[in-house]
Amino acid sequence: MDEQYDLTIVGGGPAGIFAGFYAGLREASAQLVESLPVLGGQVSALYPEKRILDVAGIPDIQAQHLIDQQLQQFKQFPIDVKTEQTVTDIKAVSGGFEVTTPASVSATKTVLIAVGNGSFSPRPLNIDNVAEFEGKNLFYAVTDLEHFRGRRVLIAGGGDSALDEALMLAPVAKSVHLVHRRNEFRALEHTVAQVKDSDAIETITPYMIHAITQKESGLEVTLKKMRSDDDFKTLVVDDVIVSYGFTSDHKTVDGWGIQLETDHRLFKVDSTMQTSVPGVYAIGDGVTYPGKQALIATAFGEAPIAVNAIMQLLYPDRRGPMHSSSIIKQK
């Protein structure tokens, strides 16, 4: 621990990457620690093909392309990046904190947590033989669009991800069936309107998957109507995508002594993004405050709030920037 960083960013998703870039703009000495092998977080791991619509000035961008653009931006500054390292402990010490991973212990004056919803796993399809199909022709996310080209696809789910996947696959797949257990979808109104207006997407409501059987012609999927004992439909498809969302936890942070909101285990932060522990800040989908919206655009706004608060804490004599254009980048 020869060096003490001004700032340690925990989490390498969109929020953490942008926080690292902004820390570079403020000339903070910083490291970014990510548990996955590459930066990009849940966006790269689960939704690389997804279209992102909520970044100001960019009408429509593929999720992985957004991450690639962010990394180009991020690499302008000498931020130390440590991948495949899970933070197991953050301990307050004199002058700051010790950040522990299985590979190292480092010293830092402040910490910025950008771990999203923590570790995550998909909500599985609840049928007896689901393991027979998982990873072969039953998937929980679209990570390779080309796999579905010219194929018959059934998507189960009614939220933003399910509808986004249906719209994404409509120009590629031979057919797209969207199955939801309610008549109403839980997605952005504009997205719902696009799905309903699409001739390439068949919506089937209110049904849910009851059984899947492998046939020579493909997967025979039996759908059961909700609140009915004997109303069934049968479809034959090549692939099934289950988009029931993800379960997440903050088990790795339970021992850090940071206050979490009870129901959803989110970090409580103040207007500067500081948690209940002075010097520890948090941004992104893993935080809560009145009016919080879990959007990438929101996280991009929270990053400079936190970094500027940290720099004001560490270097109160420095005048904080009014605009990014007032920061002189060192070439």
Side-chain angles (χ1 to χ4, degrees), residues 105 113 212 239 290 301:
V105 178
I113 300 170
I212 301 178
D239 296 301

Side-chain angles (χ1 to χ4, degrees), residues 186-230:
R186 297 170 291 102
L188 289 170
E189 293 88 344
H190 179 65
T191 305
V192 174
Q194 285 182 298
V195 167
K196 289 182 176 180
D197 290 343
S198 174
D199 294 331
I201 302 171
E202 179 191 14
T203 59
I204 304 173
T205 63
Y207 284 83
M208 65 183 300
I209 295 176
H210 178 72
I212 301 178
T213 306
Q214 182 70 61
K215 300 288 188 179
E216 288 187 9
S217 57
L219 297 181
E220 184 179 273
V221 182
T222 302
L223 306 176
K224 181 180 181 296
K225 188 172 184 179
M226 300 301 296
R227 294 177 294 279
S228 172
D229 294 330
D230 55 3

Side-chain angles (χ1 to χ4, degrees), residues 1 32 63-64 104 160 164 177 182 202 225 239 257 311:
M1 296 193 298
L32 190 156
Q64 187 57 52
S104 66
D160 285 299
D164 286 343
H177 310 278
R182 297 187 178 93
E202 179 191 14
K225 188 172 184 179
D239 296 301
M311 296 305 286

Side-chain angles (χ1 to χ4, degrees), residues 13-16 18 43 50-56 66 70 116-117 160 164 187-188 273 283-287 289 291-303:
F18 189 63
V43 170
K50 180 181 172 71
R51 311 305 299 186
I52 303 296
L53 306 176
D54 64 352
V55 179
L66 174 63
Q70 280 198 259
N117 289 317
D160 285 299
D164 286 343
L188 289 170
M273 311 311 297
I283 62 173
D285 286 357
V287 310
Y289 50 81
K292 166 71 180 184
Q293 295 293 315
L295 299 171
I296 287 179
T298 305
F300 286 166
E302 292 166 351

Side-chain angles (χ1 to χ4, degrees), residues 143-160:
T143 58
D144 180 10
L145 194 61
E146 284 302 309
H147 169 84
F148 302 96
R149 186 171 295 280
R151 294 171 70 83
R152 301 163 295 177
V153 183
L154 184 152
I155 301 171
D160 285 299

Side-chain angles (χ1 to χ4, degrees), residues 89-99 108 256 277-278 280:
D89 193 18
I90 297 174
K91 184 172 68 173
V93 296
S94 177
F97 301 88
E98 283 183 357
V99 176
T108 185
W256 297 354
V277 177
V280 177

Side-chain angles (χ1 to χ4, degrees), residues 41-260:
Q42 185 171 329
V43 170
S44 290
L46 301 177
Y47 305 122
E49 300 279 5
K50 180 181 172 71
R51 311 305 299 186
I52 303 296
L53 306 176
D54 64 352
V55 179
I58 303 177
D60 182 319
I61 187 170
Q62 184 189 44
Q64 187 57 52
H65 188 204
L66 174 63
I67 295 298
D68 293 341
Q69 294 287 88
Q70 280 198 259
L71 291 175
Q72 286 188 35
Q73 184 185 51
F74 172 82
K75 289 175 182 177
Q76 296 178 81
F77 299 105
I79 308 298
D80 290 344
V81 177
K82 299 175 181 178
T83 55
E84 295 188 272
Q85 294 194 33
T86 299
V87 173
T88 57
D89 193 18
I90 297 174
K91 184 172 68 173
V93 296
S94 177
F97 301 88
E98 283 183 357
V99 176
T100 302
T101 76
S104 66
V105 178
S106 55
T108 185
K109 297 175 185 175
T110 62
V111 176
L112 175 54
I113 300 170
V115 295
N117 289 317
S119 61
F120 48 85
S121 57
R123 296 184 187 277
L125 179 63
N126 186 23
I127 60 174
D128 291 338
N129 61 339
V130 65
E132 179 182 338
F133 307 106
E134 287 176 330
K136 300 173 184 176
N137 39 22
L138 189 150
F139 308 92
Y140 293 101
V142 177
T143 58
D144 180 10
L145 194 61
E146 284 302 309
H147 169 84
F148 302 96
R149 186 171 295 280
R151 294 171 70 83
R152 301 163 295 177
V153 183
L154 184 152
I155 301 171
D160 285 299
S161 294
L163 273 68
D164 286 343
E165 286 164 345
L167 290 169
M168 181 169 54
L169 290 171
V172 174
K174 181 178 181 180
S175 62
V176 176
H177 310 278
L178 179 62
V179 178
H180 183 40
R181 61 184 180 140
R182 297 187 178 93
N183 288 315
E184 300 79 24
F185 293 103
R186 297 170 291 102
L188 289 170
E189 293 88 344
H190 179 65
T191 305
V192 174
Q194 285 182 298
V195 167
K196 289 182 176 180
D197 290 343
S198 174
D199 294 331
I201 302 171
E202 179 191 14
T203 59
I204 304 173
T205 63
Y207 284 83
M208 65 183 300
I209 295 176
H210 178 72
I212 301 178
T213 306
Q214 182 70 61
K215 300 288 188 179
E216 288 187 9
S217 57
L219 297 181
E220 184 179 273
V221 182
T222 302
L223 306 176
K224 181 180 181 296
K225 188 172 184 179
M226 300 301 296
R227 294 177 294 279
S228 172
D229 294 330
D230 55 3
D231 192 338
F232 295 90
K233 291 180 181 287
T234 300
L235 293 174
V236 177
V237 299
D238 299 304
D239 296 301
V240 172
I241 299 168
V242 177
S243 189
Y244 290 164
F246 292 82
T247 60
S248 59
D249 64 64
H250 281 100
K251 287 182 180 177
T252 58
V253 306
D254 282 346
W256 297 354
I258 302 170
Q259 184 180 6
L260 298 175

